Amino acid sequence: MVQQDIAQERFHRLLPASATSNLNVLMVGAGAIGSRLGIELAKLGVRNFVIYDNDAVEVENVGVQAFDYRDIGTNKAIALRERMLHQTKEPPTVTVRQRFFTEKTIIPARINVVISAVDNVDARINLINACLRSKSKNSKFYMDGRMGALSCELWCGEFAGGERPLDVDKYITSLTDKEFKPAPCGQKAVPYTAAMLSAIMANQLRKWTLGHAIIPWQLHNLDAGMYLNSDTTRPSKKRRQECMSGM
């Protein structure tokens, strides 16, 4: 067995090829979170992606995103695709959209995994509303990862048979709250916070794909070593603030 086959076999133990063959991922954002998550999902054997990002790689991105100096000036989604194509023996199909995901964008019916890896509220609102508008009866797994310096939060939900996910209204409300305040320059995207969050998101997708229970809300503070989660609803504002401040 060649080395590449051995490497892929290790990931198939976590997520068999039979489980990934029907996954069709739409990911909006190829920055700190998305660039890492795209590579991780490709390694896991996910075969089909649509990636939206209208930004080009800039020199300040190299320190916190999965790019290097050779990518400067290249659209992030294109640069990420080039990395994803070299992760497995059989490269995935990666369709690139070099533009914003707008309020009028329609999610293709074949998509069953939707990932928000963006850094602004408007894009998140556009994405969740597109899921709510979708008339597809296929189940969709939705993930949104948020970062704030050394804290990160993840919400997951399933649009099952066209039904709204548990707690989706509280999730929508959370998009306009002020809990993740702007961090000082240089702390907005800490590379190892992004790495941890993308790993957690990859594992949540693995669990959903295998039919295991997922955790809808997760909040982590790396500096304080604190972890907060909820199996049913979003933790209270007080508890989230305590976790983010390391209390």
Side-chain angles (χ1 to χ4, degrees):
M1 182 178 290
V2 300
Q3 288 183 338
Q4 200 168 29
D5 291 335
I6 295 173
Q8 195 62 36
E9 177 61 27
R10 292 180 177 178
F11 287 105
H12 285 171
R13 296 172 190 168
L14 291 173
L15 193 58
S18 58
T20 60
S21 60
N22 293 321
L23 292 180
N24 291 278
V25 175
L26 184 147
M27 184 166 71
V28 180
I33 300 169
S35 62
R36 289 177 170 83
L37 183 55
I39 292 171
E40 290 170 5
L41 296 183
K43 286 180 180 291
L44 282 171
V46 178
R47 308 291 303 134
N48 298 289
F49 296 85
V50 178
I51 301 176
Y52 279 78
D53 203 303
N54 70 311
D55 287 336
V57 178
E58 299 180 3
V59 64
E60 58 265 30
N61 300 142
V62 173
V64 296
Q65 301 176 12
F67 303 118
D68 59 43
Y69 285 95
R70 295 170 295 181
D71 299 311
I72 292 175
T74 304
N75 174 268
K76 290 182 180 180
I78 291 177
L80 175 57
R81 177 176 63 186
E82 291 306 305
R83 278 165 167 67
M84 293 169 66
L85 294 179
H86 298 286
Q87 301 302 317
T88 57
K89 183 178 180 180
E90 297 181 8
T93 298
V94 184
T95 302
V96 166
R97 300 282 185 257
Q98 300 180 62
R99 58 179 183 267
F100 283 113
F101 190 97
T102 72
E103 68 275 6
K104 296 181 180 180
T105 305
I106 297 173
I107 297 176
R110 71 179 185 280
I111 296 296
N112 52 15
V113 177
V114 178
I115 297 171
S116 169
V118 294
D119 59 1
N120 67 85
V121 171
D122 289 342
R124 288 187 171 96
I125 292 174
N126 290 340
L127 192 54
I128 191 65
N129 282 340
C131 288
L132 292 170
R133 289 196 311 269
S134 175
K135 299 185 183 302
S136 172
K137 296 301 181 181
N138 296 330
S139 293
K140 289 185 179 65
F141 183 56
Y142 185 97
M143 293 193 291
D144 177 24
R146 284 184 260 182
M147 291 174 51
L150 297 174
S151 296
C152 59
E153 184 172 4
L154 171 64
W155 181 76
C156 301
E158 181 181 19
F159 291 80
E163 296 182 1
R164 296 163 65 92
L166 176 71
D167 225 22
V168 68
D169 293 323
K170 287 187 178 181
Y171 163 72
I172 293 171
T173 300
S174 79
L175 296 179
T176 56
D177 67 26
K178 305 299 182 183
E179 292 177 52
F180 277 94
K181 299 176 182 178
C185 184
Q187 290 189 357
K188 293 181 181 179
V190 178
Y192 47 82
T193 305
M196 186 186 78
L197 179 55
S198 62
I200 293 169
M201 294 172 76
N203 190 53
Q204 287 287 84
L205 177 56
R206 179 190 68 85
K207 293 169 67 175
W208 177 79
T209 302
L210 296 176
H212 299 166
I214 61 169
I215 302 173
W217 292 100
Q218 296 188 52
L219 181 62
H220 300 259
N221 184 307
L222 278 71
D223 204 29
M226 293 186 69
Y227 168 67
L228 184 66
N229 71 67
S230 174
D231 294 335
T232 55
T233 190
R234 194 182 195 208
S236 69
K237 182 175 181 179
K238 181 175 183 295
R239 288 292 294 122
R240 296 195 307 275
Q241 290 176 333
E242 289 173 348
C243 187
M244 282 184 283
S245 64
M247 296 173 59

